[in-house]
Amino acid sequence: MSTIVTAGQRFRQALAEEQPLQIIGTLNAHHALLAKRAGFKAIYLSGGGVAAGSLGLPDLGINTLDDVLTDVRRITDVCEVPLIVDVDTGFGPSAFNIARTTKSLIKFGAAGFHIEDQVGAKRCGHRPGKEVVSLEEMADRVKAAADARTDDSFYIIARTDSIASHGVDHAIDVAIACVAAGADAIFPEAAYDLATFEKFRKAVNAPILANITEFGKTPLFSVADLKPTGVEMLLNPLSAFRACNKAAETVYEAVRRDGHQRNVIDLMQTRDELYDRIGYHEFESKIDKLFAAGKTK
């Protein structure tokens, strides 16, 4: 009898094999397949990406759990690379909401999530004006998630946005409380230098995730930059999303301006490349076999 390996177990294995583990943001199922092809051992679904990419809305806590679950299911249906999901503040004010979020993500095949300490009316982590809940309330959020796990390997990352409003030392206190409440790892959002990451790693008895997002408060540190600090995970949440948005805008403007797409063909994935990346021919061959079997009857 074969043993089922869960998504959380696959993520933990990836973390054991590669440090810092590169976690790359995937906008949709097709991008998840592209990330797998590129060799990534872990992928990510951004809450801001769901809001902007799937809904055309800003990252202000507007999207719902069901919005996120739709994109999670589409990714996990076709790609077994372990997926970490951004669940903002947990999609609800109470422990019951957070428990539902945790159980739903496990059911939909996610490997883990990160939950943050911002208030319900949250903002992008690299914007001014963020407000956070108390240390005790954030620890309660983490405990609610940890207690609700139906799979012990499901990976819970506690994100603290407290650096901007309360300073690094307070954020470390939050991180320590979250680990005590059951968090597997800590995500210090908008850390501004390598020394800050190193300080977290030395103070907190848990792996640290560095969010290396473009055009934000954190410099674009590389794997080589972060490795000496002891950081275990490097997240690039929206790099491909930003690139494809810029490419799409360029194509739309060119086609409208020129009346044709000939000047932007070089920006496009070819038909053959698309078919290869999504396994089109394998699907088509199954149809051919079905038709052939039908003709012999």
Side-chain angles (χ1 to χ4, degrees), residues 45-287:
L45 182 64
S46 160
V50 171
S54 296
L55 305 176
L57 293 171
D59 183 18
L60 293 170
I62 302 170
N63 49 290
T64 67
L65 173 60
D66 284 347
D67 294 324
V68 172
L69 289 175
T70 295
D71 285 349
V72 169
R73 177 183 55 78
R74 289 172 174 168
I75 291 171
T76 59
D77 275 354
V78 299
C79 185
E80 72 279 6
V81 177
L83 174 70
I84 298 295
V85 181
D86 176 1
V87 300
D88 293 341
T89 61
F91 299 115
S94 77
F96 298 119
N97 297 110
I98 293 169
R100 179 171 180 258
T101 295
T102 304
K103 293 175 181 177
S104 296
L105 264 288
I106 294 170
K107 286 179 182 178
F108 278 63
F113 65 46
H114 67 72
I115 186 168
E116 65 197 53
D117 61 353
Q118 285 200 57
V119 297
K122 62 151 288 174
R123 299 170 186 256
C124 168
H126 291 257
R127 293 290 299 157
K130 295 186 295 182
E131 293 186 20
V132 296
V133 299
S134 68
L135 180 154
E136 292 78 13
E137 183 172 343
M138 178 56 181
D140 285 344
R141 287 179 181 177
V142 172
K143 187 176 188 305
D147 288 347
R149 277 190 284 208
T150 55
D151 170 15
D152 289 341
S153 69
F154 186 76
Y155 203 79
I156 295 174
I157 303 170
R159 166 176 148 176
T160 177
D161 285 68
S162 298
I163 292 175
S165 56
H166 293 73
V168 171
D169 290 339
H170 177 79
I172 287 174
D173 289 340
V174 173
I176 292 170
C178 287
V179 172
D184 295 296
I186 296 298
F187 172 171
E189 178 65 302
Y192 42 79
D193 58 20
L194 292 171
T196 298
F197 286 116
E198 190 168 9
K199 188 172 183 179
F200 266 88
R201 189 64 195 89
K202 289 179 177 178
V204 180
N205 185 30
I208 303 297
L209 179 147
N211 181 26
I212 310 301
T213 187
E214 302 82 14
F215 316 112
K217 301 293 185 182
T218 305
L220 300 183
F221 296 125
S222 67
V223 167
D225 294 330
L226 286 164
K227 194 173 183 66
T229 70
V231 164
E232 285 88 349
M233 291 166 275
L234 187 160
L235 172 64
N236 300 122
L238 291 166
S239 304
F241 174 71
R242 300 187 205 283
C244 71
N245 286 348
K246 189 67 173 180
E249 188 171 34
T250 299
V251 169
Y252 292 146
E253 290 175 350
V255 173
R256 181 63 175 167
R257 179 186 65 244
D258 303 333
H260 58 78
Q261 71 271 53
R262 294 191 295 270
N263 293 332
V264 287
I265 286 290
D266 288 347
L267 294 178
M268 299 183 191
Q269 184 186 52
T270 68
R271 184 184 298 273
D272 286 342
E273 288 169 339
L274 170 62
Y275 287 176
D276 176 67
R277 302 323 186 246
I278 62 174
Y280 179 94
H281 296 296
E282 288 84 352
F283 280 87
E284 194 171 57
S285 67
K286 292 178 182 178
I287 296 174

